Amino acid sequence: MTLYIIQSTGEMTECTNKEVALASSNVLVVISHNQKKIYTWIGSQSSPHSKFACARETARLRMELGYKIVNLEESSTNNEFLEAIDEAINAPSGGSATKPKPKPITATKKAPVKKETSKAKPKTATKKAPVKKETSKPKPKEKKETEPTQYETKAVKTKIIDVEHIFKQLEVLPPMEGSIRDYILVGDSLFIAPENIEKSDSESKVQLPDGSFVADDYVPRLFLENGKIIAVELWRQN
């Protein structure tokens, strides 16, 4: 049986008559296994003691069954609640308000796992840094002032080039056929050929700016003496 009337003393009485159960002075607890619900029905003329006992018992049943609780007043009676009453009355006699509890499954005890305890590392003695003994530093040796070495200076003899003498030697040489001599290079100076100078007292040395000069139109002729180049003639083809 799953239809109970809660007495003012807190006792739960089974009821098999629908009309008797729905009296306004009663407080009902109906368990519907089909709907998985626990109904509480409060009559309009029920006592406060019955209401308090109903709240206590429904809390206990919810813990046992795990069903949802639905609270109803007499004025809010609905068809689902009436179907739950019919289910409770038509239940086989000798039924109980609660389902038999399943036997608790005993968990097999696992062998305790030994936890590896970290062994404390032996303390290593800290080595003290060796104390450096102060040693007296040797005094730096005084440098003796040395007199600067004197070197003998030798006079460099500069060879004076006799340009006129070279010109006279070049006059003996035969001229190049079909060419005119314009310049003569002696040492590091360039001179105009004597036959191209109108006045004998005119300056024959040519002042050239720094840079490079290409003598495409000239043919050089070298004059050597004792294996050394004395002069270079620049001949222009006529």
Side-chain angles (χ1 to χ4, degrees):
M1 179 63 64
T2 56
L3 172 58
Y4 301 93
I5 297 174
I6 307 299
Q7 304 296 331
S8 59
T9 58
E11 294 180 1
M12 295 177 64
T13 305
E14 293 182 356
C15 181
T16 57
N17 190 309
K18 185 176 182 180
E19 293 179 358
V20 174
L22 292 175
S24 299
S25 59
N26 289 337
V27 173
L28 304 179
V29 173
V30 182
I31 301 171
S32 173
H33 296 299
N34 294 335
Q35 299 179 20
K36 307 293 182 183
K37 293 179 182 178
I38 300 172
Y39 287 96
T40 62
W41 185 84
I42 308 299
S44 59
Q45 298 178 6
S46 59
S47 65
H49 296 286
S50 298
K51 294 177 183 179
F52 178 78
C54 177
R56 182 186 63 209
E57 292 299 326
T58 52
R60 179 182 62 81
L61 291 171
R62 182 181 181 183
M63 292 293 293
E64 292 180 2
L65 301 175
Y67 292 169
K68 181 181 178 181
I69 296 175
V70 180
N71 298 316
L72 296 175
E73 298 289 336
E74 183 179 355
S75 59
S76 59
T77 303
N78 54 29
N79 293 330
E80 290 183 356
F81 172 69
L82 296 176
E83 290 176 359
I85 290 180
D86 293 338
E87 176 190 343
I89 292 173
N90 296 326
S93 60
S96 60
T98 61
K99 285 185 176 180
K101 295 182 182 179
K103 294 182 180 180
I105 300 172
T106 57
T108 56
K109 293 184 179 180
K110 295 182 179 180
V113 179
K114 293 183 180 180
K115 295 183 179 179
E116 293 183 359
T117 57
S118 57
K119 295 181 180 180
K121 294 182 180 179
K123 294 183 179 180
T124 56
T126 55
K127 294 182 180 180
K128 294 183 179 180
V131 180
K132 293 182 179 180
K133 295 181 180 180
E134 294 183 358
T135 56
S136 57
K137 295 181 180 179
K139 294 182 179 180
K141 295 181 180 180
E142 295 181 357
K143 294 182 180 180
K144 295 181 179 180
E145 294 182 359
T146 56
E147 295 181 357
T149 55
Q150 295 181 354
Y151 297 96
E152 294 181 359
T153 57
K154 294 181 179 180
V156 179
K157 295 181 180 180
T158 56
K159 185 178 180 180
I160 300 173
I161 300 174
D162 190 353
V163 178
E164 292 183 0
H165 175 69
I166 294 174
F167 284 175
K168 288 180 180 180
Q169 288 179 320
L170 293 176
E171 289 178 359
V172 180
L173 299 175
M176 294 179 63
E177 294 182 0
S179 299
I180 300 172
R181 186 176 64 172
D182 285 344
Y183 301 101
I184 301 172
L185 182 61
V186 179
D188 55 358
S189 300
L190 184 66
F191 298 91
I192 300 172
E195 60 270 22
N196 296 328
I197 298 175
E198 296 180 356
K199 296 180 180 180
S200 58
D201 57 350
S202 299
E203 179 65 35
S204 62
K205 188 175 181 180
V206 179
Q207 301 293 333
L208 297 174
D210 295 338
S212 61
F213 299 90
V214 180
D216 291 337
D217 299 333
Y218 291 93
V219 177
R221 186 171 71 172
L222 306 181
F223 178 70
L224 287 79
E225 189 177 58
N226 298 325
K228 294 181 180 180
I229 299 174
I230 302 302
V232 179
E233 296 175 319
L234 297 177
W235 294 80
R236 176 170 51 86
Q237 292 182 353
N238 190 4

